[in-house]
C-alpha cells in the first residue's frame, strides 16, 4: 500500500497535542519536579581554574557536617576504558566522557566537576560543597582555537596526537583530528574562475540555552537497582552512559523520561546522572540534583566557536567553479567538535565539481562542546553562504537565482561523496523568490539577506507498541523524549494507519524497562524514525485485527482487508459480512485469542536530507550599530508535515536561535580563562521584543523512504539565519562582516561610524 | 568486485591516498573485512566511527546490506545531530 | 535559625507554611506547598519561568522571599483554570500550538493574563515588550504573540 499516494484524514491536520493540557496547567512533570520520600539534595563542587592539576581532595570536613549523607569524587568511580562512543553529534571517547562527568587528575576548564555531595537540604549541601578542600597546581591555559593550534600552546592532553594525518605525529597536540573532503581539482576550478573571493570568518561558541536546567532524581537501593528520573534527549542514552561509567548492568538501571524543557542537542549526554546514582548508592536514599543557570553556562553545552577560511570562484555568467574551505572548530576540553558534519555540509547545498574542505578538531580550556541543532552546519554554512552572497553581489546577480543556478538537485554528488536522491533545494529557492516578502521595497539603512541551509537528518533505532484496549481505544508506547510535540505526530500517524479517530489514541513516552533501545531525540529523527516504527506497529496490529476478523467469519485471513478502521471482506467471493470496527473486534478479543497489539523495533534508514532558504530584512541604526530584524521568512522542504503547527514551530524556533547566534550570543572569557557572562542577563538570547513574526512556508517534497514522506525538520532552520542576517547587514551597511555576533560595537567598528 | 569511495582524509590515512578502492564482497560485513585485510586499520575505523552510504542512503550501522558492482559506496564520518 | 510561620492566600485558598528567612517564594511554592507548575530557569529574574502574581502584581517568584508573602495573595499557574475549564489563554495556546517544550509556558501564561487584565486590546509591540521578560527558546515567540492577541480579540468579542 502506498501511503503517500492516498488522501489523508489526519496527517496534515492540527489536533491539540495529547500532552497539552498538562503543559498549560502546570501539571506536567519536568526533571526537577519529582520529590521522593527521604530525598536528599545534591550539589557539585566545580573547578575555579581553567587548567590545573588536582593535587589533593579533602572531603573530611564536608562529611563531618550534620545532614551530609554522601560525598563522591573520581576515586569512587570505576576507571573508564578508552573507547569511542556516539554522543549526540560526534564520536567521543568514553574515558573523556568519564572525566567530563568528574575530573580525575586534572581539570580542563573552569566549572568542571571535581566532587559532589548529597545532604538533607540544599542549604546544607551547599555548605558541604564549600567545605570540600581541593588543592590545585594551576597550569597555563588556552582559550582561543587558533592560539590552541600554535606550536607553543599549552597542551591539554599528553595522549592526543593529531589523527587523520600521516605519518603519525611524534608530539602531542591540541589538534585532535584532521578531516578532509575533496572532489575534482580545485586548482583547475579556480583557474577557470573569472572572480575569486577569499575571506576569513570567526564565530563564537553559543549555548543551547534550553530554559529547563539539567535535573535528575536517582534512587539506588541496596539490591543494586537504580531508578533514574531525568530530563534528557534520550533516556536510553542516560542508561547506556550510566551503566558504562558506573559498570552496572543495563537491566539494573531504569530511566524514566521526565518532560523535557528544551534540549536542542544539549541534553544528548550526561552530566549529573552518574553522580546522582553514586550519591544515592552511598547514601542509601534518593538524591535530586539540579544545575543552576550559571553551572549550565560554565559546564554544559555549548557548541563550537570557529575560525574559518573560505575561497570560492565563479565565472561571469554565475557558475561556481571551485570551493575551498578550512575549518578550525573548538571542541572544548576533550576531542569531538562537530567538525566532520561542518566540513560535509559546508558546500552541500551546491552542485560543484571542484571542492575541498579541510577541518581541524581542536581542544582548548573550555567546556566540552555538545550537539546543538545541526551540529557544525550553521558554522560552516554561515561562512560559505556569506561568500556565495558576496559573489552574487559582485556579479550583479540575484542571490536566489545565483543559488538556484548552482544549487543541488536530485543526482548531485555532494562534496562529502554521496549522491542526493529526491531533495527540495530548488523548490525552496523558488518558493522564497515567489514570496511577497522578497518584493517589499526597503528604506534607508535597511537591507535584505538570503541564505540556504542543508542538513542530513538521520534515522536510527526506535520502537513502538500499539495496544488495542478492550473498549477500542489505543495505547501507543514509544521511547523518544518529546521536546516539541512529537507525541501529537505519533498519534496522528497511528490514527491514519489504523483508520480511527486521533483522539482515541493515547501516546506515551515510556521508561527504559518498557520499550526497546531508542537513539536520542536528535538529528531531526523522531517523527521520521519513531514515526516509521509507529506505522509498522500499527500495521502489525492491523494484521492481528484482520486475523481475528477472519476467525470470527471463519474465512482465510487473506480474504480480510482493513479500510477506514474496519475489517471488511476483500470481495463478495469471501462472503457477505458486515464490516467489523476496531472497537467491535477489540470487545471480543478475549474470545479470539487474547489481547491485540502490534509492535515494531527498527533501525530506520533513509532519512531524507533537508534544505531551507531564509529571507531576512534588517535595519541598522547608523549611530548605535544596533540591528533590528524587520521581517523574516523561513522556507523549508519538510517532506510531509504531519502536524503543520509544530513543523512551523520548528522553523520559527530555529530561526530565532539562529538570529540570536548572529546578533547577540557569545561566550566571553577573561584573562584567567573564566567565563564572564554565565547568566541570561549577560548572555542574551532573543526575547520577544527582539524579533518580528517569523513567516513560514512549508514545501513538501515527500521523502520516498517514509510511509508518509516525512523528512526531519528540526535542525535545518537554525542554519540559514546566520548568513541571512549577515547578508542583510551587508546590504544595509555596504560592509561585509566576517565575525559573529554582529553586536553594535562590531557594527560600528566595521562601518567606521564608531571612530 | 565492489568499488568503495573514501574521503580524501581517510584515503591519506589508510590507502596511500587512493580515494577509490576495489574489494570482493557481497555485503557490507564482507566489504569491511576485505578493506581491513587490504588496508590494516581501515575496517576497524569504519566499524568504530564511520558510516557507509550505499546508493545515496547513509547507514550509521551498516552490516548485512548487500553490495554489488553497481552499488555506489561511500565511507564517511558518522553523523548524529542535535 | 528558627523558621518563620507564614499565612498567605494561594490561588484563593488560605495557606500556611514554615520557611527560612532566605528561602525564595519560588522555593516555597515548589518544595513546601507542592506547586511545581511554577518553574525555575535561572534564579536571577532573567527568564520569567517563575512568574506569579503577588497581590495582583506580576513578579518573578525567585526574586521574592517566602516571608514576603505574609498576608498577601499569590496566584500561580495552578489557579488559572477553573476546575476542568481552561482559561481562554490556556485554550488558545493549545489550539494555536503556542508551546513546544512547555517549560516557559506557565510563566508566559501568568504574564500574559496579567497583561490582558490591564489591557484588553494590546498591540503586537505591547505584547512583545510585556513578555520580553519571559524567555522562550523553542518557539521564536511567533505563535505565543499570536495566541495572546487572538485571545484578547476573543475576549473583546465576548464582552462586546
Amino acid at each position: 500500500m502506498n501511503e503517500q499516494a492516498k488522501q489523508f484524514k489526519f496527517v496534515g491536520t492540527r489536533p491539540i497535542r495529547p500532552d497539552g493540557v498538562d503543559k498549560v496547567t502546570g501539571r506536567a512533570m519536568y526533571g526537577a519536579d519529582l520529590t521522593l520520600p527521604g530525598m536528599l539534595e545534591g550539589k557539585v563542587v566545580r573547578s575555579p581554574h581553567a587548567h590545573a592539576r588536582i593535587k589533593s581532595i579533602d572531603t573530611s570536613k564536608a562529611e563531618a557536617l550534620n545532614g551530609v549523607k554522601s560525598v563522591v569524587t573520581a576515586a569512587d568511580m570505576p576507571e573508564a576504558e578508552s573507547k569511542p562512543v556516539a554522543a549526540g553529534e560526534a564520536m567521543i571517547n568514553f574515558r573523556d566522557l568519564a572525566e567530563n562527568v568528574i575530573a580525575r587528575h586534572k581539570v580542563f576548564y573552569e566549572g568542571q566537576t571535581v566532587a559532589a555531595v548529597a545532604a538533607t537540604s540544599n542549604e546544607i549541601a551547599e555548605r558541604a560543597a564549600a567545605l570540600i578542600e581541593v588543592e590545585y597546581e594551576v597550569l597555563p591555559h588556552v582559550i582561543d582555537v587558533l592560539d590552541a593550534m600554535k606550536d607553543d600552546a599549552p597542551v591539554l592532553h599528553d595522549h592526543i596526537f593529531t589523527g587523520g594525518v600521516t605519518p603519525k605525529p611524534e608530539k602531542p597536540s591540541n589538534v585532535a583530528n584532521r578531516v578532509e573532503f575533496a572532489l575534482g581539482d580545485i586548482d583547475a576550478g579556480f583557474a577557470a574562475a573569472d572572480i575569486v573571493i577569499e575571506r576569513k570568518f570567526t564565530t563564537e561558541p553559543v549555548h543551547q540555552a534550553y530554559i529547563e536546567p539539567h535535573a535528575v532524581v536517582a534512587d539506588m537501593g541496596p539490591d543494586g537497582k537504580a531508578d533514574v528520573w531525568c530530563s534528557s534527549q534520550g533516556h536510553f542514552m542516560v542508561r547506556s552512559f550510566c551503566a558504562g561509567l558506573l559498570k552496572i548492568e543495563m537491566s539494573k538501571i531504569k530511566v524514566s523520561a521526565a518532560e523535557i524543557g528544551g534540549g536542542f542537542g544539549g541534553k544528548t549526554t550526561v552530566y549529573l546522572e552518574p553522580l546522582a546514582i553514586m550519591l544515592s548508592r552511598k547514601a542509601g536514599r534518593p538524591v535530586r540534583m539540579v544545575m543552576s543557570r550559571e553551572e549550565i553556562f560554565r559546564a554544559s553545552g555549548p557548541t563550537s566557536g570557529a575560525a574559518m577560511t573560505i575561497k570560492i570562484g565563479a565565472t561571469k555568467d554565475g557558475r561556481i567553479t571551485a570551493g575551498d574551505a578550512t575549518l578550525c572548530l573548538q571542541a572544548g576540553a576533550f576531542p569531538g567538535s562537530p567538525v566532520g558534519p561542518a566540513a560535509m555540509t559546508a558546500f552541500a547545498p551546491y552542485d560543484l565539481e571542484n571542492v575541498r574542505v579541510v577541518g581541524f578538531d581542536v581542544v582548548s580550556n573550555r567546556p566540552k562542546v555538545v550537539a546543538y541543532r545541526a551540529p557544525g552546519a550553521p558554522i560552516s554554512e554561515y561562512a560559505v553562504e556569506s561568500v556565495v552572497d558576496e559573489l552574487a553581489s559582485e556579479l550583479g546577480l540575484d542571490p536566489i537565482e545565483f543559488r538556484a543556478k548552482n544549487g543541488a538537485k536530485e543526482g548531485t554528488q555532494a562534496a562529502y561523496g554521496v549522491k542526493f536522491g529526491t531533495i527540495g533545494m530548488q523548490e525552496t529557492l523558488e518558493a522564497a523568490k515567489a514570496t511577497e516578502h522578497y518584493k517589499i521595497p526597503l528604506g534607508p539603512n535597511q537591507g535584505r539577506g538570503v541564505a540556504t541551509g542543508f542538513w542530513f537528518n538521520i534515522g536510527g533505532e526506535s520502537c513502538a507498541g500499539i495496544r488495542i484496549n478492550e473498549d477500542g481505544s489505543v495505547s501507543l508506547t514509544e521511547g523518544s523524549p518529546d521536546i516539541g510535540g512529537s507525541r501529537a505526530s505519533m498519534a496522528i500517524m497511528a490514527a491514519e494507519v489504523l483508520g480511527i479517530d486521533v483522539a482515541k489514541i493515547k501516546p506515551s513516552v515510556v521508561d527504559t524497562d518498557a520499550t526497546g533501545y531508542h537513539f536520542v531525540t536528535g538529528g531531526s529523527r523522531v517523527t521520521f524514525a519513531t514515526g516509521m516504527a509507529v506505522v509498522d506497529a500499527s500495521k502489525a496490529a492491523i494484521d492481528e485485527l484482520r486475523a481475528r476478523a477472519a476467525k470470527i467469519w471463519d474465512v482465510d485471513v487473506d480474504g480480510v482487508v482493513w479500510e477506514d478502521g474496519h475489517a471488511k471482506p476483500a470481495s463478495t467471493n469471501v462472503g457477505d459480512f458486515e464490516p467489523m470496527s476496531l472497537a467491535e473486534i477489540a470487545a471480543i478479543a478475549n474470545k479470539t485469542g487474547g489481547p491485540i497489539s502490534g509492535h515494531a523495533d527498527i533501525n530506520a534508514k533513509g532519512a531524507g536530507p533537508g534544505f531551507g532558504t531564509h529571507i531576512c530584512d534588517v535595519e541598522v541604526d547608523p549611530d548605535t550599530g544596533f540591528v533590528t530584524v524587520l521581517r523574516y521568512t523561513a522556507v523549508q522542504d519538510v517532506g510531509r508535515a504531519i502536524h503543520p503547527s509544530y513543523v512551523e514551530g520548528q522553523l520559527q524556533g530555529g530561526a530565532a536561535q539562529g538570529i540570536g547566534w548572529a546578533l547577540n550570543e557569545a561566550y566571553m572569557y577573561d584573562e584567567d580563562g573564566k567565563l564572564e557572562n554565565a547568566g541570561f542577563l549577560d548572555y542574551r538570547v532573543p526575547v520577544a521584543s527582539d524579533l518580528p513574526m517569523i513567516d513560514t512556508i512549508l514545501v513538501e517534497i515527500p521523502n520516498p523512504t517514509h510511509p508518509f514522506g516525512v523528512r526531519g525538520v528540526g535542525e535545518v532552520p537554525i542554519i540559514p539565519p546566520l548568513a541571512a542576517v549577515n547578508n542583510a547587514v551587508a546590504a544595509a551597511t555596504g560592509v561585509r562582516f566576517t565575525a559573529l555576533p554582529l553586536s553594535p560595537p562590531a557594527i560600528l567598528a566595521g562601518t567606521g561610524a564608531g571612530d | 568486485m565492489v568499488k568503495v569511495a573514501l574521503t580524501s582524509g581517510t584515503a591519506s590515512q589508510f590507502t596511500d591516498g587512493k580515494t577509490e578502492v576495489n574489494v570482493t564482497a557481497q555485503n557490507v560485513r564482507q566489504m569491511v573485512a576485505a578493506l581491513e585485510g587490504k588496508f590494516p586499520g581501515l575496517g576497524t575505523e569504519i566499524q568504530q566511527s564511520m558510516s557507509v552510504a550505499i546508493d545515496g542512503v547513509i547507514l550509521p550501522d551498516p552490516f548485512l546490506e548487500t553490495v554489488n558492482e553497481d552499488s555506489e559506496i561511500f565511507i564517511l564520518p558518522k553523523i548524529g545531530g542535535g | 535559625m528558627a523558621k518563620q510561620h507564614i499565612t498567605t492566600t494561594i490561588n484563593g485558598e488560605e495557606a500556611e507554611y514554615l520557611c527560612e528567612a532566605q528561602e525564595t517564594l519560588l522555593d516555597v511554592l515548589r518544595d513546601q506547598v507542592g506547586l511545581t507548575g511554577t518553574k525555575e530557569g535561572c534564579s536571577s529574574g532573567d527568564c520569567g519561568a517563575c512568574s506569579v502574581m503577588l497581590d495582583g502584581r506580576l513578579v518573578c517568584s525567585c526574586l521574592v522571599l517566602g516571608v514576603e508573602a505574609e498576608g498577601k495573595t499569590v496566584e500561580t499557574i495552578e489557579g488559572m483554570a477553573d476546575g476542568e475549564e481552561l482559561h481562554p489563554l490556556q485554550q488558545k495556546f493549545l489550539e494555536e500550538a503556542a508551546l513546544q517544550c512547555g517549560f516557559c509556558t506557565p510563566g508566559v501564561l501568568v504574564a500574559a493574563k496579567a497583561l490582558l487584565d490591564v489591557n484588553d486590546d494590546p498591540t503586537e509591540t505591547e505584547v512583545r515588550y510585556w513578555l520580553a521578560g519571559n524567555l522562550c527558546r523553542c518557539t521564536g515567540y511567533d505563535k505565543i504573540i499570536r495566541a495572546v492577541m487572538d485571545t484578547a480579540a476573543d475576549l473583546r468579542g465576548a464582552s462586546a
Side-chain angles (χ1 to χ4, degrees):
Chain A
M1 178 167 51
N2 183 357
E3 302 282 353
Q4 290 190 17
K6 290 199 310 195
Q7 288 297 310
F8 300 121
K9 197 166 175 190
F10 298 106
V11 166
T13 63
R14 303 174 188 241
I16 286 176
R17 59 196 281 172
D19 53 322
V21 171
D22 279 353
K23 284 183 172 157
V24 297
T25 55
R27 290 168 49 85
M29 295 279 288
Y30 293 82
D33 294 340
L34 183 70
T35 302
L36 294 178
M39 188 176 79
L40 305 172
E41 303 284 351
K43 293 286 171 198
V44 167
V45 179
R46 297 184 181 278
S47 165
H49 304 295
H51 194 192
R53 200 175 309 283
I54 299 171
K55 294 175 74 177
S56 65
I57 303 177
D58 182 352
T59 60
S60 56
K61 285 181 189 158
E63 282 169 76
L65 188 67
N66 193 23
V68 172
K69 300 297 175 188
S70 58
V71 177
V72 164
T73 67
D76 297 296
M77 311 288 269
E79 288 262 7
E81 55 191 311
S82 177
K83 67 171 181 189
V85 292
E89 61 183 297
M91 304 301 293
I92 74 162
N93 188 299
F94 211 70
R95 190 183 52 207
D96 295 342
L97 178 70
E99 291 220 33
N100 202 40
V101 167
I102 190 161
R104 195 167 280 275
H105 306 296
K106 272 173 82 178
V107 288
F108 298 98
Y109 58 94
E110 183 220 11
Q112 189 174 351
T113 298
V114 178
V117 53
T120 49
S121 75
N122 272 313
E123 197 224 334
I124 295 171
E126 268 163 29
R127 277 166 48 205
L131 288 173
I132 291 176
E133 292 168 353
V134 186
E135 199 184 342
Y136 295 99
E137 176 195 344
V138 177
L139 302 169
H141 68 275
V142 60
I143 294 291
D144 180 70
V145 60
L146 294 179
D147 289 345
M149 294 174 80
K150 287 178 184 161
D151 279 344
D152 59 351
V155 172
L156 273 66
H157 305 277
D158 291 339
H159 62 271
I160 292 181
F161 297 83
T162 308
V165 294
T166 43
K168 191 186 168 190
E170 288 171 5
K171 270 174 50 185
S173 163
N174 293 327
V175 181
N177 203 20
R178 179 188 185 277
V179 295
E180 184 184 311
F181 299 88
L183 270 184
D185 178 345
I186 57 164
D187 292 335
F190 284 119
D194 297 312
I195 175 172
V196 175
I197 293 178
E198 179 174 344
R199 292 206 178 262
K200 290 182 189 301
F201 294 88
T202 59
T203 66
E204 296 298 319
V206 294
H207 200 277
Q208 297 81 352
Y210 29 80
I211 311 298
E212 184 204 20
H214 295 269
V216 56
V217 178
D219 186 9
M220 189 164 195
D223 58 359
K225 290 188 204 134
D227 276 358
V228 180
W229 159 273
C230 65
S231 161
S232 83
Q233 285 176 249
H235 45 318
F236 284 91
M237 171 278 296
V238 172
R239 183 181 76 169
S240 158
F241 284 180
C242 289
L245 290 169
L246 303 174
K247 304 225 191 297
I248 301 172
E249 276 183 15
M250 286 185 189
S251 62
K252 291 190 172 161
I253 303 177
K254 179 177 93 176
V255 188
S256 303
E259 293 294 342
I260 170 173
F264 315 108
K267 292 177 183 169
T268 55
T269 189
V270 292
Y271 299 103
L272 301 175
E273 293 84 353
L275 302 175
I277 294 175
M278 281 305 288
L279 287 169
S280 174
R281 173 192 254 177
K282 286 182 86 172
R285 287 167 67 170
V287 173
R288 174 165 64 187
M289 299 181 86
V290 183
M291 273 199 208
S292 70
R293 181 56 52 181
E294 186 179 335
E295 289 179 291
I296 294 170
F297 276 113
R298 289 193 202 282
S300 75
T303 191
S304 307
M308 302 173 277
T309 305
I310 308 291
K311 181 179 172 187
I312 307 178
T315 58
K316 272 185 236 155
D317 63 350
R319 181 71 208 162
I320 296 176
T321 57
D324 190 11
T326 303
L327 315 173
C328 305
L329 264 66
Q330 298 161 359
F334 303 99
S337 77
V339 69
M344 291 156 79
T345 54
F347 290 103
Y350 298 104
D351 182 359
L352 305 182
E353 282 176 28
N354 308 299
V355 197
R356 182 180 63 187
V357 186
V358 176
F360 297 96
D361 182 28
V362 184
V363 297
S364 65
N365 296 110
R366 296 167 171 274
K368 165 72 180 72
V369 302
V370 67
Y372 183 22
R373 231 169 170 158
I379 300 168
S380 61
E381 295 188 54
Y382 146 72
V384 167
E385 282 295 281
S386 295
V387 174
V388 164
D389 198 75
E390 188 174 354
L391 275 171
S393 170
E394 291 294 316
L395 292 167
L397 299 171
D398 175 89
I400 292 183
E401 282 174 21
F402 181 60
R403 285 176 170 85
K405 187 162 188 167
N406 294 286
K409 304 176 192 68
E410 185 166 349
T412 293
Q413 184 172 11
Y416 59 87
V418 175
K419 280 187 187 156
F420 288 124
T422 314
I423 56 170
M425 163 80 176
Q426 296 289 340
E427 287 81 355
T428 69
L429 290 166
E430 284 162 26
K433 189 139 195 265
T435 55
E436 282 303 308
H437 178 171
Y438 200 58
K439 301 174 188 78
I440 295 171
L442 294 167
N445 301 315
Q446 297 183 353
R448 176 166 296 145
V450 172
T452 60
F454 157 80
W455 183 248
F456 311 92
N457 300 323
I458 61 167
E461 298 99 319
S462 283
C463 309
I466 293 279
R467 276 187 290 113
I468 312 285
N469 300 319
E470 305 92 285
D471 62 355
S473 65
V474 171
S475 300
L476 189 173
T477 55
E478 42 103 354
S480 293
D482 175 358
I483 309 190
S486 59
R487 272 165 292 189
S489 300
M490 298 308 144
I492 288 172
M493 286 185 270
E496 192 71 55
V497 177
L498 293 169
I500 63 170
D501 193 273
V502 67
K504 287 265 183 208
I505 297 169
K506 185 190 164 208
S508 301
V509 177
V510 296
D511 66 57
T512 52
D513 280 357
T515 183
Y517 178 82
H518 288 61
F519 192 63
V520 292
T521 294
S524 303
R525 66 171 220 96
V526 170
T527 308
F528 170 75
T530 308
M532 219 179 223
V534 166
V535 169
D536 287 354
S538 302
K539 287 180 175 171
I542 287 172
D543 286 345
E544 186 59 27
L545 287 159
R546 286 172 50 236
R548 301 299 177 91
K551 281 187 190 173
I552 294 164
W553 293 336
D554 203 14
V555 301
D556 191 89
V557 67
D558 293 337
V560 182
V561 293
W562 190 261
E563 278 175 17
D564 298 329
H566 290 75
K568 295 177 182 172
S571 69
T572 48
N573 296 337
V574 175
D576 185 17
F577 302 108
E578 277 295 305
M580 285 189 81
S581 71
L582 180 144
E584 287 167 337
I585 299 171
I588 53 168
N590 56 330
K591 297 176 183 170
T592 58
I596 299 172
S597 65
H599 299 273
D601 304 302
I602 66 169
N603 186 347
K605 298 170 193 166
F611 289 87
T613 299
H614 291 198
I615 312 168
C616 174
D617 291 359
V618 300
E619 181 168 321
V620 182
D621 185 319
D623 296 324
T624 65
F626 186 81
V627 178
T628 303
V629 180
L630 300 172
R631 279 173 220 97
Y632 203 96
T633 301
V635 185
Q636 189 172 320
D637 171 18
V638 302
R640 176 87 64 201
I642 301 297
H643 190 308
S645 296
Y646 290 103
V647 175
E648 292 160 4
Q650 289 295 320
L651 271 58
Q652 291 163 335
Q657 286 184 320
I659 291 168
W661 198 334
L663 292 177
N664 303 334
E665 299 177 33
Y667 265 42
M668 291 186 270
Y669 282 87
D670 70 10
E671 285 180 359
D672 296 327
K674 296 180 185 180
L675 185 63
E676 291 188 303
N677 59 332
F680 278 137
L681 191 61
D682 300 312
Y683 181 98
R684 195 166 188 280
V685 306
V687 304
S689 54
D690 291 340
L691 296 171
M693 292 298 185
I694 295 165
D695 291 337
T696 58
I697 297 174
L698 308 183
V699 174
E700 293 189 315
I701 310 293
N703 171 12
T705 57
H706 187 276
F708 294 119
V710 166
R711 291 175 196 276
V713 297
E715 291 172 293
V716 169
I718 199 175
I719 301 166
L722 285 67
V725 171
N726 198 41
N727 296 337
V729 168
T733 61
V735 179
R736 290 277 166 188
F737 289 88
T738 56
L740 297 183
L742 294 161
S743 63
I747 299 274
L748 290 183
T751 58
D755 298 344
Chain B
M1 270 311 205
V2 294
K3 268 188 300 193
V4 183
L6 307 168
T7 69
S8 47
T10 308
S12 70
Q13 261 183 288
F14 295 101
T15 62
D16 214 8
K18 276 186 294 203
T19 54
E20 192 173 290
V21 297
N22 295 298
V23 290
T24 306
Q26 268 142 26
N27 61 30
V28 173
R29 184 172 55 84
Q30 294 170 0
M31 180 188 89
V32 170
L35 287 169
E36 178 68 25
K38 216 163 170 177
F39 308 102
L42 177 55
T44 310
E45 179 80 5
I46 293 171
Q47 282 178 318
Q48 283 191 344
S49 59
M50 305 201 81
S51 297
V52 176
I54 303 173
D55 297 330
V57 177
I58 299 175
L59 307 165
D61 309 295
F63 191 60
L64 302 172
E65 291 77 6
T66 55
V67 291
N68 59 47
E69 32 188 74
D70 297 327
S71 306
E72 288 184 351
I73 304 167
F74 292 92
I75 310 294
L76 61 164
K78 258 201 182 25
I79 299 150
Chain C
M1 197 190 305
K3 292 193 176 186
Q4 312 228 13
H5 177 255
I6 304 298
T7 305
T8 180
T9 305
I10 300 176
N11 297 328
E13 284 180 28
E14 190 171 294
E16 293 177 64
Y17 53 81
L18 293 172
C19 77
E20 309 267 1
Q22 76 278 9
E23 271 185 284
T24 65
L25 177 59
L26 172 61
D27 288 341
V28 168
L29 287 172
R30 290 180 53 80
D31 296 338
Q32 308 230 23
V33 187
L35 295 176
T36 55
T38 303
K39 301 301 179 194
E40 176 171 346
C42 71
S43 295
S44 57
D46 295 313
C47 80
C50 66
S51 298
V52 300
M53 300 298 284
L54 184 66
D55 265 0
R57 266 189 65 202
L58 179 63
V59 297
C60 287
S61 58
C62 71
L63 298 182
V64 176
L65 293 173
V67 294
E68 290 181 83
E70 170 68 37
K72 296 188 177 163
T73 61
V74 180
E75 292 161 76
T76 72
I77 185 65
E78 286 90 347
M80 191 180 269
D82 183 8
E84 286 192 350
E85 192 175 339
L86 298 180
H87 185 276
L89 273 166
Q90 293 172 311
Q91 186 62 34
K92 192 65 79 181
F93 268 55
L94 292 179
E95 288 166 6
E96 300 192 1
L99 61 147
Q100 281 177 37
C101 80
F103 192 79
C104 73
T105 307
V108 169
L109 284 167
V110 168
K113 179 171 177 292
L115 169 64
L116 298 192
D117 286 347
V118 295
N119 181 352
D120 71 349
D121 190 9
T123 65
E124 181 191 332
T125 302
E126 285 171 335
V127 178
R128 285 188 180 278
Y129 276 86
W130 185 277
L131 293 179
N134 292 86
L135 299 183
C136 170
R137 192 60 159 170
C138 293
T139 65
Y141 304 103
D142 185 297
K143 291 187 192 301
I144 291 175
I145 306 298
R146 287 179 201 276
V148 173
M149 296 183 68
D150 290 349
T151 306
D154 284 357
L155 292 173
R156 288 195 306 278
S159 64

